[in-house]
Amino acid sequence: MAKLIEETVEKTKIPKDAQKEILEDYRLAVLSRETSLLGRREVLTGKAKFGIFGDGKEIAQIALAKQFKEGDWRSGYYRDQTFMMASGLLTVQEFFAQLYAHPSVEAEPASGGRQMNGHYATRFIDGEGNWLNQTELKNVSADISPTGGQMPRLLGLAYASTFYKQNKGLKDHSKNYSKDGNEVAFGTIGDASTSEGPFWETINAAGVLSVPLVMSVWDDGHGISVPKKYQTTKGSISEALSGFQRKEGTNGYEIFNVKGWDYAKLLLTYDKAVAVSREKHIPVLIHVEELTQPQGHSTSGSHERYKSKERLAWEIEYDGIAQFKKWILELGAATEAELEEIHKAAKKEVREGKKAAWDAFVNSVSAEKEEALTLLNSLASASPNKVFIEKHISNLKANNDPERKAIYEAVRRSLRIARAENNATKASLISWLDVQIDLNEDRYDSNLYEPGDSSALNVEPVEAEYSEEKLVDGREILRENFDSILTNKPEVLIFGEDSGKIGGVNQSLEGLQDKHGELRVFDTGIRECTIVGQAIGLAMRGLRPI
């Protein structure tokens, strides 16, 4: 597509395929923007508790999503809604289901309503705990709220491609996880969050290891209300990292800069950058500058409080969608009227998606509320404490918020009033409550630990057997155990500070690097955060790090 766009700009007549893709990208950008705008209103009217949105980042994320292939991984942050939509991993209805915290994986596949909005994920195991074939999926590790927290695991997700590519003994094991290590791990982060320690630690380690990692920094000039001149040396993360630029005969990064409102150059930049990383296993940093944030940081405040009139005027002019529209009109890819129809259709689609999500969320609670009211009325009719129970019935009827808490407060308080009574209606209400408790256990508390046959609780203990009475150092027992594991499980690798050449400070890995090779047993720098993160990312891709 990038080459086609480049050729299109040079011609007076636009190829139909290019025109179709350009207008589809514009439609998607507008759809995501309308989702952000309506999402904020849903929070401010009280239908959702908090909102954080991806407005202003749409064009860059569409360019990024074009490079996201089956088998690739993303570890990003909470403004990537357009990327998820463009990747076919998020619908408008699912976006609003998450905003309302609908506790259903069918309605809200990312987390079943357990995560804050804007926190995305895809499944990589099935309902029985078996691995899905990651090479056939676009994979997204679950987003987390701590800024920079997505970085450490990103290192492991990228290093897994290097390990699969170099370890020929994994041919049979890798079929569900990798195709010759050709997968790229994509990271995204807001510019201000590059001040966090995990970012620097990950960036450094990725450069040392030379892994296929593509890091996009979304730069809108601020970290909440604080300008980036107070966040980053030289006021630019790409300038601050310029010493990481790869040179002849050295490792390091390829660093790219591009304006976040320039659709054509974004496509060309991402096409070139990702090709370098995928083909050569070189980490890449793409600093996407001059982005905007039309609604401010979140629903907790307004950016008019801290941005000058000049800055706000600039953001209107250089809004990505506004610049994209201007480019389309200049190119002759569509008329003003045609683009206006796209806006109208997007507004309608977002309203319909929002309504469908809200109705599904409310109806799931309303059904329980009606059941509870029916049973409570029966209890009141048979109770000498009718007047007190009816007070709770009245309060429940008056509560129009779609929340289960009010239902179970009314039920439990009514049962407390009727605690000395003994009748069939009370027994029916108790029975109903027991069923609902089990259902809510699954909605809100399930999967804290691995369920099913693969649960660690199902592992049978094996008693130690000693063939002879001989005292040996504990480190020798550990060494023999590690040796056996490495010999029999090619997906295992051991790494850490001093783990490789010297065999661990306590010699529990003595000689194992010489026996199994530097790919399986190796040293790392003093970077504890990313040692753990590297292991997490590797494990997510089917490997067994120690």
Side-chain angles (χ1 to χ4, degrees):
M1 176 61 184
K3 184 173 176 55
L4 189 60
I5 290 294
E6 190 173 31
E7 293 172 351
T8 297
V9 173
E10 297 172 357
K11 296 179 180 178
T12 55
K13 188 174 181 180
I14 305 167
K16 285 188 177 181
D17 288 347
Q19 182 183 32
K20 181 180 178 180
E21 187 163 351
I22 289 167
L23 294 182
E24 173 56 27
D25 289 347
Y26 185 79
R27 185 199 70 82
L28 182 58
V30 173
L31 185 75
S32 181
R33 176 65 61 86
E34 291 297 331
T35 299
S36 296
L37 295 173
L38 189 53
R40 181 179 176 85
R41 287 199 288 272
E42 290 297 279
V43 175
L44 297 181
T45 56
K47 290 169 71 176
K49 306 301 182 187
F50 178 78
I52 197 160
F53 307 103
D55 46 307
K57 317 295 188 290
E58 295 93 352
I59 311 304
Q61 291 184 15
I62 287 171
L64 170 59
K66 290 180 187 295
Q67 304 297 328
F68 192 47
K69 310 299 183 186
E70 284 77 11
D72 289 344
W73 279 82
R74 168 193 168 273
S75 183
Y77 92 137
Y78 40 74
R79 295 193 191 276
D80 287 351
Q81 72 194 49
T82 309
F83 171 85
M84 293 296 291
M85 289 177 172
S87 300
L89 301 174
L90 178 70
T91 67
V92 172
Q93 184 171 338
E94 288 167 351
F95 176 91
F96 282 100
Q98 188 179 62
L99 188 66
Y100 303 137
H102 191 160
S104 162
V105 293
E106 289 75 29
E108 199 279 275
S111 68
R114 297 183 185 186
Q115 287 261 50
M116 189 177 80
N117 92 292
H119 288 53
Y120 305 113
T122 58
R123 307 277 161 176
F124 48 95
I125 57 174
D126 63 20
E128 302 300 319
N130 301 308
W131 289 97
L132 298 173
N133 188 337
Q134 296 176 5
T135 67
E136 298 175 352
L137 304 171
K138 295 178 178 179
N139 304 285
V140 174
S141 65
D143 293 341
I144 57 176
S145 295
T147 54
Q150 71 271 37
M151 295 298 299
R153 79 180 80 158
L154 178 64
L155 178 67
L157 293 171
Y159 184 72
S161 292
T162 299
F163 188 74
Y164 278 121
K165 185 174 185 176
Q166 296 179 0
N167 191 342
K168 304 306 179 184
L170 284 173
K171 185 175 181 180
D172 291 335
H173 175 78
S174 66
K175 60 185 179 181
N176 284 338
Y177 307 106
S178 179
K179 290 185 177 179
D180 300 320
N182 289 324
E183 303 79 25
V184 171
F186 292 89
T188 63
I189 194 168
D191 179 66
S193 294
T194 63
S195 299
E196 296 280 12
F199 173 83
W200 288 90
E201 194 172 309
T202 301
I203 291 295
N204 182 55
V208 171
L209 294 171
S210 293
V211 293
L213 182 155
V214 174
M215 190 72 228
S216 295
V217 179
W218 311 132
D219 184 355
D220 57 35
H222 290 78
I224 310 182
S225 66
V226 181
K228 64 180 182 180
K229 67 180 181 180
Y230 299 121
Q231 306 272 3
T232 309
T233 300
K234 301 182 179 181
S236 166
I237 191 60
S238 52
E239 282 293 313
L241 287 170
S242 58
F244 282 65
Q245 174 64 49
R246 189 171 63 105
K247 297 179 180 179
E248 188 70 31
T250 69
N251 57 10
Y253 277 72
E254 289 297 325
I255 299 176
F256 296 82
N257 294 76
V258 63
K259 307 301 184 187
W261 46 263
D262 193 331
Y263 173 76
K265 287 186 179 178
L266 281 162
L267 293 185
L268 293 168
T269 299
Y270 272 101
D271 197 51
K272 181 180 179 180
V274 177
V276 168
S277 191
R278 194 182 299 277
E279 294 166 12
K280 299 182 179 180
H281 277 216
I282 293 169
V284 167
L285 179 102
I286 304 171
H287 185 187
V288 184
E289 301 176 273
E290 295 191 9
L291 289 165
T292 64
Q293 202 155 272
Q295 298 187 108
H297 177 264
S298 69
T299 52
S300 295
S302 171
H303 63 160
E304 285 85 356
R305 295 166 57 197
Y306 53 85
K307 291 178 182 176
S308 67
K309 291 181 180 179
E310 292 76 16
R311 171 69 191 192
L312 291 169
W314 179 90
E315 290 199 8
I316 292 172
E317 181 180 358
Y318 281 89
D319 177 90
I321 294 176
Q323 288 293 315
F324 193 12
K325 178 181 179 180
K326 179 182 176 183
W327 181 81
I328 290 171
L329 293 172
E330 290 174 350
L331 193 65
T335 65
E336 184 89 43
E338 288 170 332
L339 296 183
E340 184 59 30
E341 285 302 313
I342 289 175
H343 279 264
K344 289 179 181 178
K347 287 177 183 287
K348 182 174 183 290
E349 184 177 342
V350 171
R351 285 196 301 268
E352 290 173 349
K354 185 266 297 184
K355 184 178 185 304
W358 179 253
D359 288 347
F361 174 55
V362 170
N363 290 342
S364 66
V365 180
S366 297
E368 289 176 41
K369 182 177 179 179
E370 291 305 315
E371 290 174 2
L373 285 170
T374 298
L375 291 165
L376 285 169
N377 280 316
S378 296
L379 177 66
S381 297
S383 173
N385 294 294
K386 178 179 179 179
V387 64
F388 300 106
I389 295 172
E390 285 183 335
K391 179 183 177 182
H392 294 302
I393 293 173
S394 178
N395 289 340
L396 180 56
K397 285 181 177 179
N399 189 323
N400 294 318
D401 290 333
E403 57 180 30
R404 289 185 167 88
K405 179 183 178 183
I407 299 172
Y408 300 111
E409 282 182 349
V411 169
R412 287 191 171 99
R413 287 172 179 174
S414 296
L415 286 172
R416 194 174 301 125
I417 290 168
R419 61 189 177 276
E421 300 171 21
N422 186 16
N423 55 60
T425 57
K426 177 184 173 183
S428 295
L429 184 57
I430 291 172
S431 178
W432 179 86
L433 179 60
D434 289 340
V435 170
Q436 298 307 312
I437 288 172
D438 289 340
L439 290 173
N440 286 324
E441 176 77 21
D442 183 64
R443 284 190 186 107
Y444 301 111
D445 296 320
S446 59
N447 297 307
L448 181 59
Y449 302 106
E450 176 67 32
D453 295 337
S454 57
S455 170
L457 299 176
N458 294 329
V459 176
E460 293 292 334
V462 178
E463 295 292 334
E465 295 182 5
Y466 303 97
S467 58
E468 57 181 308
E469 289 189 10
K470 179 183 177 181
L471 292 178
V472 297
D473 287 346
R475 62 126 191 141
E476 293 182 45
I477 297 172
L478 292 173
R479 182 193 64 199
E480 297 307 307
N481 179 62
F482 288 137
D483 185 23
S484 176
I485 290 172
L486 287 164
T487 299
N488 294 297
K489 295 184 180 298
E491 70 273 23
V492 170
L493 62 161
I494 301 176
F495 58 91
E497 298 161 16
D498 304 307
S499 296
K501 186 174 182 178
I502 69 170
V505 291
N506 294 312
Q507 295 293 282
S508 59
L509 299 169
E510 179 190 16
L512 296 187
Q513 186 180 77
D514 291 337
K515 182 175 181 179
H516 297 282
E518 290 187 28
L519 186 62
R520 303 282 307 284
V521 184
F522 57 91
D523 289 313
T524 70
I526 300 176
R527 51 175 182 85
E528 288 84 357
C529 176
T530 50
I531 291 173
V532 175
Q534 187 173 342
I536 292 170
L538 288 165
M540 294 171 95
R541 293 194 59 186
L543 296 166
R544 301 290 294 274
I546 297 175

